Every structure is written in structure tokens, then in C-alpha cells.
Amino acid sequence: MQAAPVRATAIPTFTDALRAVESLLMSGGQRTARRNAWTSVLEDRRRAKDRVEAQRVLEAVAVASARS
């Protein structure tokens, strides 16, 4: 007697579900524009974080040089 084959289906993530709805509601150009906009937001956040870190380093160097 053979065991019945098991079918494993991955449960879609919330992000996958949103992308599926997005693809139904928007044309390809709008999806691309939205994705590009989000990529820009993430890049702006990264640059802002880098600016804050650079400012901290500059302030630390200024304090250290003022003490010497």
C-alpha cells in the first residue's frame, strides 16, 4: 500500500497578498511608479541616517580638538 502524495502549498504573506491586489487594481506603469517612489523614500531615509552619523562624528572631533 502506497501513502498518498502530500501537496505542500506555501501560505502567501501579507506582502504577497497586497502585491496581488495591487496588480489587479493598477496598471503596470502605476505599480512601477509606486515601487520607484518607495525606493526613493528608503534611499532618502538612508541618506538622512548617514547625515546624522556624519554630524555626530564631526561634533565628536570638534569636542576632542577643543580639549587639546
Side-chain angles (χ1 to χ4, degrees), residues 3-58:
V6 176
R7 291 182 65 189
T9 305
I11 298 172
T13 64
F14 184 70
T15 303
D16 292 337
L18 283 178
R19 285 195 177 135
V21 170
E22 179 187 48
S23 69
L24 290 173
L25 298 177
M26 290 194 248
S27 68
Q30 288 175 323
R31 271 196 315 271
T32 301
R34 185 178 295 261
R35 204 170 300 124
N36 289 345
W38 182 243
T39 300
S40 293
V41 167
L42 295 177
E43 185 63 21
D44 287 345
R45 289 178 182 174
R46 187 195 61 78
R47 281 194 300 267
K49 184 178 172 185
D50 289 348
R51 279 193 303 274
V52 168
E53 183 60 28
Q55 184 64 35
R56 286 184 185 143
V57 169
L58 290 174

Side-chain angles (χ1 to χ4, degrees), residues 1-6:
M1 185 154 123
Q2 274 188 338
V6 176

